[in-house]
Amino acid sequence: PEVERTPMHKLEFFHNDLPELIDALLKRNRWSWQALERGAIKIGDQVLTRESLQWWLIDADPVLWVETNLVNKPEDGGGLWKLFPYQRPSIRFRGHVVHQDGAEVGKSREIVGLLLWSCLAVERGSVLVGSALDGDLDEIWEEVEWQLSANPYLGASLRTRTTKAYRPLTWRNGLRVLFRPAGHDGRAYRGIHVRGWLLHDEAAKVVNPRSWSEFWRAAKPG
């Protein structure tokens, strides 16, 4: 069922970066705020409103999306997520990257943010989230579960989830997210082929080259 999307707060703009972004977009297209408010701007057959334009910009940018849709647990203070300044270019980057970071700097949070943002995509194929041990994936899985329970729109976007023997998520747009531990030799990665992202947490703990060769093989060909 379609769930109405509402911002997780009641500000006139859903994110503080949006007024400047909308202003730049209007100027680039020689539109005006007055025309937007009158409903005189269309994209195809769709009338562009202030609200629809905001969601369009938010959905296109993982930083805006994460900071508008994801919330902290009450025991962590509640409120919307706020990324660290260095996380913003990182979560937007679309190339290959290895983080060499310490603890508590937001690596797992980036993985959660990207996974949940990708559920809005029309077609992203599938994603593999790996880690050294199944227990290392618990933090990511539990955070995903929390966000699904806290945001009705996200909850309605999920089709199925199972927990045994492994933990796949299947979204209504067709995206499948697979959580697998490397184990001793990467056996749990065998037989998997993904067309989207490979995301690996706690990579420094994986020391067997066979685990890595199985992990990379999951993304081939292409």
Side-chain angles (χ1 to χ4, degrees), residues 60-138:
D61 183 351
V63 170
L64 297 181
W65 190 89
V66 161
E67 294 187 338
T68 305
N69 288 278
L70 304 187
V71 294
N72 296 303
K73 297 176 182 177
E75 58 266 32
D76 296 328
L80 290 166
W81 276 21
K82 187 68 175 176
L83 297 174
F84 295 124
Y86 56 78
Q87 285 182 290
R88 290 173 155 250
S90 174
I91 203 171
R92 285 171 172 148
F93 184 63
R94 286 295 162 268
H96 301 303
V97 64
V98 175
H99 280 276
Q100 295 179 293
D101 303 328
E104 302 301 323
V105 298
K107 299 186 299 296
S108 297
R109 178 165 282 206
E110 284 194 32
I111 291 176
V112 171
L114 285 171
L115 288 181
L116 293 177
W117 174 66
S118 68
C119 80
L120 297 173
V122 175
E123 177 60 54
R124 274 185 200 276
S126 46
V127 175
L128 173 61
V129 184
S131 195
L133 303 170
D134 191 52
D136 295 330
L137 296 170
D138 286 347

Side-chain angles (χ1 to χ4, degrees), residues 145-218:
E145 290 272 85
W146 156 250
Q147 297 298 339
L148 290 172
S149 68
N151 189 318
Y153 180 75
L154 283 178
S157 298
L158 184 68
R159 178 180 296 158
T160 61
R161 66 178 176 269
T162 57
T163 57
K164 292 182 180 180
Y166 297 109
R167 296 180 279 195
L169 297 171
T170 303
W171 301 94
R172 293 191 180 278
N173 66 359
L175 174 74
R176 295 190 70 231
V177 178
L178 308 173
F179 295 81
R180 295 291 177 94
H184 170 67
D185 59 359
R187 184 173 303 175
Y189 298 147
R190 294 174 189 170
I192 293 177
H193 300 278
V194 298
R195 291 185 290 134
W197 298 322
L198 287 177
L199 301 169
H200 206 298
D201 199 27
E202 302 293 351
K205 296 181 181 179
V206 178
V207 296
N208 189 333
R210 290 183 63 184
S211 297
W212 283 113
S213 63
E214 292 292 343
F215 184 69
W216 296 125
R217 183 208 47 76

Side-chain angles (χ1 to χ4, degrees), residues 5-18:
R5 300 180 64 180
T6 56
M8 303 303 287
H9 50 80
K10 300 299 182 181
L11 297 177
E12 183 179 10
F13 289 98
F14 304 159
H15 192 283
N16 290 334
D17 291 352
L18 284 170

Side-chain angles (χ1 to χ4, degrees), residues 21-36:
L21 290 171
I22 294 175
D23 193 50
L25 179 66
L26 295 176
K27 289 180 179 178
R28 185 164 65 248
N29 289 278
R30 298 183 179 180
W31 296 335
S32 67
W33 281 99
Q34 291 81 1
L36 179 65

